């Protein structure tokens, strides 16, 4: 049964593997998500799986500068940022079963071997690892009850570490050739000295794929420029791909245009044909309306994100905050504004405190999540500036905790107020560790052990948070070990920092906000609303922030 990809109810499942060629970072995630979107437009239920071929069990233990954002799912998995792209493009929730790493696959096989589940067989990398991979793909597909599952294999073809995933894909195709399609997302450089688009690296990538027994059905040619006919012909001929299935995917301003561009090349039609599926409709209208709205926004809103995970060597990368950035974009567009987002390194305000006054140039400010001491005094100075100068402010997780610290220090006069994450000996631990988290840290149990995933929160009537959400009970995703110390609740409230939301048992503070007479918009949330923002449904907190920024 291990290779059977027909659902128990007899419904045929279809699978699309998306594989990278030439180099990483060419937008395989966006391509996978966009393929999903256009197939949804044809009336199919789609889910997506991300495979990360590293040994980490999840993305939670990796530095965001190296790996990008850790995207948290409803069920508390710490995954790759591409899972966020899937959720945003497909407008579905993705769960733990849809995320796979080599660490996860091997640990499962090894623990099964320890339990004698292989019945005395010699357990080998091949075929047992590919079987495990196939089993996981099937399980995620069944759970989502998807007609089509898109599986993005991280990294690029030719790397040692993704070979067993390609082997699993090959085996699935061998068993059910009509139900499995392969998409090679490759890169076509246009060297400035030559001024011509070169196809050779992509030809080499296709050949590399052939060498592991896989023939791509489609080639998506990522490049700075659109791909012309001669180049399509070349790739078709040398990579044995139907010319119509060589798709041009040039750089564009907004990633949300990618599905529309794919449809200009009738990609959904071609994929359905390959998978022997009849289209069930064509409905991309809402998405089209959205992308039109995006391109019609002219008036600018200037947003500052104060963080620290931006620098990679000599390069500045916003990837660590991708969901925050996308959430700000959705909220701006739905307010008919074109977002101009700038990343501000909080270290700067520690080295040069006077510089903080440059924040007056922004319409609104965000301090996103974070860990550790580097740059936090700079963030606290920025929050103080936002509070005193009435700049709309949204603090996310650490941004809420630091806003509470700032208020305690500068309004309550508790000058040593701090989080015990940074200063365990402070006499005013306004942020302290959640008791069960202290135990985990003492046991060095760091993996997937924070307070993670969706939890309910009850909003207090009359608060700004309540007005924005328009309902009393909400659910948001979390990722933290520390919390607001309840001993300080009364004191901060007396001075105008309202506890606007808390857990149903009222034990854990989830939202703080400055009362309306003190500030036009100042909210800190212990959770991460950025994980639930969707292009067509901007998150109320981000929407409110941008609206307040416009009114300012
Ligand atoms: N470091 C803080 C905590 O662990 C905040 C975490 C975050 O911002 N995601 O509670």
């Amino acid at each position: 049964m291990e290779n059977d990809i027909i659902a128990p109810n007899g419904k045929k499942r279809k699978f699309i593997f998306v594989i990278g060629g030439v180099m990483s970072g060419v937008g395989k995630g966006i391509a996978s998500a966009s393929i999903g979107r256009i197939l949804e437009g044809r009336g199919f239920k789609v889910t997506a799986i991300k495979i990360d071929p590293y040994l980490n069990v999840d993305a939670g233990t990796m530095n965001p500068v190296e790996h990008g954002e850790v995207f948290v799912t409803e069920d508390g998995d710490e995954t790759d940022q591409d899972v966020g792209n899937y959720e945003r493009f497909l407008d579905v929730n993705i769960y733990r079963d849809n995320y796979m790493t080599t660490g996860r696959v091997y640990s499962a096989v090894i623990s099964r071997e320890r339990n004698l589940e292989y019945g005395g067989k010699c357990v080998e990398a091949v075929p047992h690892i590919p079987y495990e991979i196939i089993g996981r793909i099937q399980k995620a597909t069944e759970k989502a009850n998807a007609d089509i599952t898109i599986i993005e294999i991280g990294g690029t073809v030719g790397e040692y570490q993704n070979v067993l995933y390609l082997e699993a894909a090959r085996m699935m195709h061998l068993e059910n050739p009509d139900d499995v399609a392969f998409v090679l997302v490759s890169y076509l450089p246009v060297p400035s000295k030559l001024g011509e688009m070169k196809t050779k690296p992509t030809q080499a990538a296709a050949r590399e794929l052939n060498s592991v027994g896989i023939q791509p059905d489609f080639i998506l040619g990522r490049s700075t420029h659109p791909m012309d006919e001669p180049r399509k012909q070349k790739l078709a001929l040398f990579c044995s791909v139907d010319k119509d299935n060589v798709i041009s995917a040039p750089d564009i301003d907004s990633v949300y245009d990618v599905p529309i561009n794919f449809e200009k090349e009738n990609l959904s039609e071609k994929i359905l044909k390959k998978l022997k599926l009849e289209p069930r409709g064509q409905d991309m209208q809402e998405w089209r309306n959205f992308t039109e709205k995006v391109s019609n926004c002219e008036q600018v809103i200037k947003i500052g994100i104060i963080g620290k995970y931006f620098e990679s060597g000599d390069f500045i990368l916003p990837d660590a905050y991708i969901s925050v950035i996308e959430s700000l974009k959705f909220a701006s567009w739905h307010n008919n504004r074109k977002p101009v987002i700038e990343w501000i390194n909080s270290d700067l305000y520690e080295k040069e405190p006077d510089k903080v006054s440059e924040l007056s140039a922004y319409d609104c400010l965000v301090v996103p999540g974070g860990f550790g001491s580097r740059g936090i005094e700079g963030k606290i100075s920025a929050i103080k500036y936002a509070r005193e100068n009435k700049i709309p402010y949204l603090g996310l997780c650490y941004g809420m905790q630091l806003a509470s610290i700032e208020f305690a220090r500068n309004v309550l006069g508790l000058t040593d107020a701090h989080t015990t994450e940074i200063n365990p000996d402070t006499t005013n631990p306004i942020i302290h560790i959640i008791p069960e988290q202290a135990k985990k840290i003492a046991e060095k149990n760091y993996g997937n052990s924070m307070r993670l995933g969706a939890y309910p929160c009850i909003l207090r009537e009359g608060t700004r948070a309540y007005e924005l959400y328009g309902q009393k009970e909400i659910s948001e995703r979390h990722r933290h070990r520390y919390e607001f110390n309840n001993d300080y609740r009364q004191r901060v409230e007396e001075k105008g920092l309202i506890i606007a939301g808390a857990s149903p048992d009222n034990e854990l503070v989830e939202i703080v906000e400055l009362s309306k007479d003190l500030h036009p918009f100042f909210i800190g949330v212990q959770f991460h609303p950025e994980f639930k923002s969707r292009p067509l449904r901007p998150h109320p907190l981000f929407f409110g922030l941008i609206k307040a920024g416009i009114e300012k």
Side-chain angles (χ1 to χ4, degrees), residues 253-256 290 294 297 303 322-335 337-339 341 343 535 538 542 546:
D253 289 341
S254 163
V255 293
Y256 301 101
F290 161 69
V294 172
C297 292
I303 308 158
I322 185 81
S323 292
V324 176
I325 291 168
E326 297 312 300
S327 302
L328 288 166
K329 289 183 188 169
F330 305 152
S332 302
W333 291 327
H334 285 275
N335 272 296
R337 285 296 184 285
K338 185 187 171 118
I341 303 173
W343 349 118
F542 286 95
I546 299 298

Side-chain angles (χ1 to χ4, degrees), residues 369-371 396-398 401 421 479-482 526 528:
F371 296 85
L396 309 171
C397 205
Y398 220 12
Q401 297 176 354
E421 178 175 354
R479 182 172 189 251
H480 63 121
R481 293 192 201 277
Y482 295 81
Q526 183 55 79
H528 290 273

Side-chain angles (χ1 to χ4, degrees), residues 463-465 496-500 511-516 522-524:
T463 60
R464 207 185 298 274
L497 188 69
I498 314 288
I499 310 301
I511 309 178
V512 296
E513 65 177 54
L514 277 179
S515 66
K516 290 173 198 165
F522 188 100
I523 301 185

Side-chain angles (χ1 to χ4, degrees), residues 326-397:
E326 297 312 300
S327 302
L328 288 166
K329 289 183 188 169
F330 305 152
S332 302
W333 291 327
H334 285 275
N335 272 296
N336 297 310
R337 285 296 184 285
K338 185 187 171 118
V340 172
I341 303 173
E342 289 177 11
W343 349 118
I344 303 155
N345 196 334
S346 58
D347 293 340
L348 178 72
Y349 303 139
E350 292 177 7
K351 286 184 220 128
E352 299 173 65
D354 292 348
K355 281 248 159 100
V356 74
S357 65
E358 71 182 25
L359 293 175
S360 64
Y362 295 91
D363 298 316
C364 48
L365 296 171
V366 174
V367 171
F371 296 85
S373 63
R374 182 168 68 83
I376 74 161
E377 290 303 328
K379 289 182 189 172
I380 292 172
S381 305
I383 295 168
K384 178 167 187 272
Y385 191 88
R387 181 177 57 77
E388 291 179 341
N389 294 281
K390 303 202 184 332
I391 303 174
Y393 171 78
L394 181 60
L396 309 171
C397 205

